[in-house]
Amino acid sequence: MKIEVVSREFIKPYHSTPPSLRDYNISLIDELSLAMYIPIVLYYSNDNLSSSSRCDHLKRSLSKVLTRFYPFAGRYIKESFMVDCSDQGAEFVEAIVDVGLHDFIGQTKNMKMELLNCLFPRPVGAGDEATHPLLAVQVSAFACGGWATVVLTSHRIADMSTSSTFVNEWAINAKQLLEGSDENHDIPIMSPSWTSASLFPGKKDSGLPLGLSGAKENIEDHKVVTKVFFFNKSSISRIREMARLDKFSETLPTRVQSVFGIIGKAIIDIHVADSGTSKGFLVNQAVNMRERTDPPIPKNQCGNLFLVSTAHIVAGKRSVEFQSIVDLLTRAVGREVENCKMILSVGGQMIITNGLNELTKTLAKPEIACNLVFTDWCKFPFYEADFGLGKPVWASGINSPLGNIVCLFNDKFGEGIEAWVSLNANDMHKFELDPNIMEFSS
């Protein structure tokens, strides 16, 4: 397979950002977030447009939406902990691929993951340099006429909720422009709010990294492998029944926590079997604050707005019961949901920093054998992103540069779950042979 970059340019906002908005201060949670990009990867079937016509349409609509999402067109100045919103532009890359979309995707579980990141305009693990765009897009045209759009947003100023909102607003703008809506009317005004620093003021302290997954690891030494495991609706129902701690309770654990539980147990079992002794494990999961605070932070609030739930799991020589893992994960998320309710009224900064400090201390303990990062992206409407050229046929994860990460996506119909699991090569081989993974996933 060959991918050829046809063009690379920077798209500026359609309307210049006013001087009053030029200096965008980041929040405390922004400061603590990893210096990397958040990826959204969407695939589309043939729309009968030429590649150049499609890209012209996408660039025009991107320019329009950047007027409201203006920090994405700026550059981060790490010494000042702020974004210079002087309309330097978002990167837009046009590429062509010499194979068909179906040939590229193939059978999802057996696709060549190392090829996936070739669709990216830049590495996911890029840092905070002033030369790095805060938004980068690559549109790749396949030989069959199908195409893929990769959107990278800087985690320094956005979480997945912000990124998903941006992509869907861009798509709505693009669709209305293609349908000939008046440029001054009918375009949805989502009015994104970029005021998270007023909710959680930053400390301007670069010594507070969010050490969840070891972004500085030498990935070549760890030989990380990413594979996809699909859990259909029937399997998820069976897992939820199996996960019920109280057999007489009518309440079932959520589908997400149940799938996380079956995956977490399989990974923990690998480490316990290898050591033969009791081990400690941490499982971290981001909890979106939006609409959970009092008063509610609205969906249109941009930036990083999440707390990190942490479940501390101790597994003995015989590992740990599946029901117990699901219960611990559910309780950990529940604690952070409760923290969300009071975070705007009682020392929000203290809740955020105390949680980070506790996590950092626990990670340093010698009995912690493994730190897992679980990410739930099931609720984000990736499959609604219609740029006027049809809805996506698939939304995918990435070939992760970091190990011990599990990311969940809904399937196209919202019934099944795709789990993108990234482990070192030796652990992945054992994970695939786990009886529960073999029974419930495909």
Side-chain angles (χ1 to χ4, degrees):
M1 185 188 80
K2 180 182 178 182
I3 297 179
E4 178 185 352
V5 172
V6 176
S7 66
R8 187 182 297 267
E9 62 183 292
F10 289 95
I11 307 300
K12 299 178 182 294
Y14 187 77
H15 295 291
S16 298
T17 302
S20 61
L21 299 178
R22 290 291 173 89
D23 294 340
Y24 173 70
N25 292 313
I26 66 173
S27 73
L28 175 61
I29 307 175
D30 294 335
E31 287 182 11
L32 302 179
S33 297
L34 293 172
M36 61 179 292
Y37 287 106
I38 296 175
I40 295 178
V41 190
L42 304 173
Y43 305 82
Y44 296 84
S45 57
N46 190 347
D47 51 34
N48 296 316
L49 284 182
S50 68
S51 178
S52 59
S53 296
R54 181 188 304 120
C55 285
D56 286 345
H57 167 61
L58 293 174
K59 285 186 281 190
R60 182 182 176 217
S61 53
L62 176 59
S63 177
K64 294 275 189 180
V65 79
L66 279 175
T67 298
R68 302 198 305 280
F69 289 84
Y70 59 92
F72 282 142
R75 295 294 182 271
Y76 180 60
I77 311 300
K78 60 183 177 181
E79 295 81 10
S80 305
F81 296 88
M82 52 82 71
V83 176
D84 173 22
C85 302
S86 298
D87 299 340
Q88 293 91 332
E91 186 175 39
F92 191 100
V93 178
E94 181 182 354
I96 55 176
V97 188
D98 67 351
V99 299
L101 177 58
H102 179 74
D103 294 328
F104 179 80
I105 295 175
Q107 297 298 314
T108 304
K109 188 173 182 180
N110 297 316
M111 73 179 293
K112 295 179 179 179
M113 292 296 175
E114 64 273 15
L115 298 179
L116 184 57
N117 292 16
C118 295
L119 300 177
F120 285 40
R122 56 184 47 243
V124 174
D128 284 343
E129 300 306 318
T131 55
H132 294 156
L134 298 178
L135 169 67
V137 174
Q138 180 166 318
V139 179
S140 300
F142 290 90
C144 63
W147 52 288
T149 295
V150 174
V151 179
L152 301 181
T153 52
S154 171
H155 209 338
R156 183 60 64 210
I157 61 168
D159 55 15
M160 179 51 85
S161 180
T162 298
S163 303
S164 175
T165 296
F166 165 76
V167 168
N168 279 279
E169 281 295 305
W170 177 20
I172 292 171
N173 273 263
K175 185 175 184 180
Q176 291 194 344
L177 285 173
L178 196 64
E179 293 172 349
S181 298
D182 188 293
E183 292 192 4
N184 297 315
H185 300 88
D186 298 328
I187 297 295
I189 303 301
M190 194 277 295
S191 298
S193 176
W194 292 94
T195 58
S196 58
S198 66
L199 300 175
F200 307 106
K203 291 189 173 182
K204 301 197 174 191
D205 182 356
S206 59
L208 289 172
L210 184 58
L212 292 184
S213 53
K216 301 298 183 183
E217 291 183 48
N218 185 331
I219 61 174
E220 294 299 326
D221 291 345
H222 290 74
K223 294 182 171 59
V224 174
V225 174
T226 299
K227 292 198 174 184
V228 186
F229 299 84
F230 180 68
F231 296 83
N232 62 32
K233 182 179 179 180
S234 174
S235 292
I236 294 171
S237 296
R238 289 164 56 207
I239 294 171
R240 292 180 70 190
E241 286 288 347
M242 193 170 75
R244 182 161 33 191
L245 195 61
D246 181 357
K247 298 301 180 183
F248 298 102
S249 172
E250 295 183 0
T251 303
L252 290 173
T254 68
R255 58 201 292 272
V256 164
Q257 297 306 331
S258 299
V259 171
F260 273 147
I262 211 81
I263 293 172
K265 176 172 170 54
I267 296 173
I268 288 171
D269 284 350
I270 293 170
H271 289 269
V272 172
D274 286 347
S275 67
T277 60
S278 296
K279 292 285 184 180
F281 300 86
L282 288 185
V283 181
N284 305 296
Q285 183 179 339
V287 175
N288 190 353
M289 290 186 193
R290 296 169 183 83
E291 301 187 310
R292 287 172 165 156
T293 58
D294 184 17
I297 294 174
K299 284 184 177 181
N300 69 337
Q301 183 68 54
C302 294
N304 287 288
L305 289 159
F306 62 88
L307 294 176
V308 178
S309 73
T310 302
H312 187 182
I313 299 169
V314 178
K317 293 181 180 180
R318 296 183 179 180
S319 188
V320 63
E321 293 296 327
F322 166 61
Q323 293 88 347
S324 298
I325 292 178
V326 175
D327 184 57
L328 286 169
L329 296 178
T330 302
R331 289 176 184 272
V333 169
R335 284 193 299 271
E336 297 312 319
V337 170
E338 289 301 312
N339 279 336
C340 287
K341 294 178 181 178
M342 62 176 120
I343 199 166
L344 294 181
S345 55
V346 224
Q349 283 187 317
M350 186 177 297
I351 291 175
I352 295 166
T353 54
N354 284 353
L356 171 64
N357 290 336
E358 187 61 33
L359 172 58
T360 304
K361 288 178 184 177
T362 308
L363 281 170
K365 294 180 179 178
E367 64 269 23
I368 300 299
C370 182
N371 181 45
L372 303 176
V373 177
F374 286 175
T375 303
D376 169 24
W377 288 350
C378 287
K379 293 181 180 179
F380 296 115
F382 301 122
Y383 287 100
E384 297 302 313
D386 181 355
F387 293 87
L389 308 170
K391 293 185 178 182
V393 295
W394 191 39
S396 83
I398 68 169
N399 186 33
S400 174
L402 299 174
N404 295 327
I405 293 177
V406 179
C407 186
L408 301 188
F409 292 79
N410 266 344
D411 68 0
K412 184 177 181 180
F413 305 103
E415 296 182 342
I417 289 178
E418 288 182 3
W420 288 67
V421 181
S422 299
L423 303 169
N424 72 53
N426 187 48
D427 286 351
M428 180 60 77
H429 175 69
K430 297 173 183 177
F431 179 84
E432 290 180 288
L433 298 177
D434 179 88
N436 285 329
I437 298 302
M438 294 179 68
E439 177 180 355
F440 293 110
S441 73
S442 58

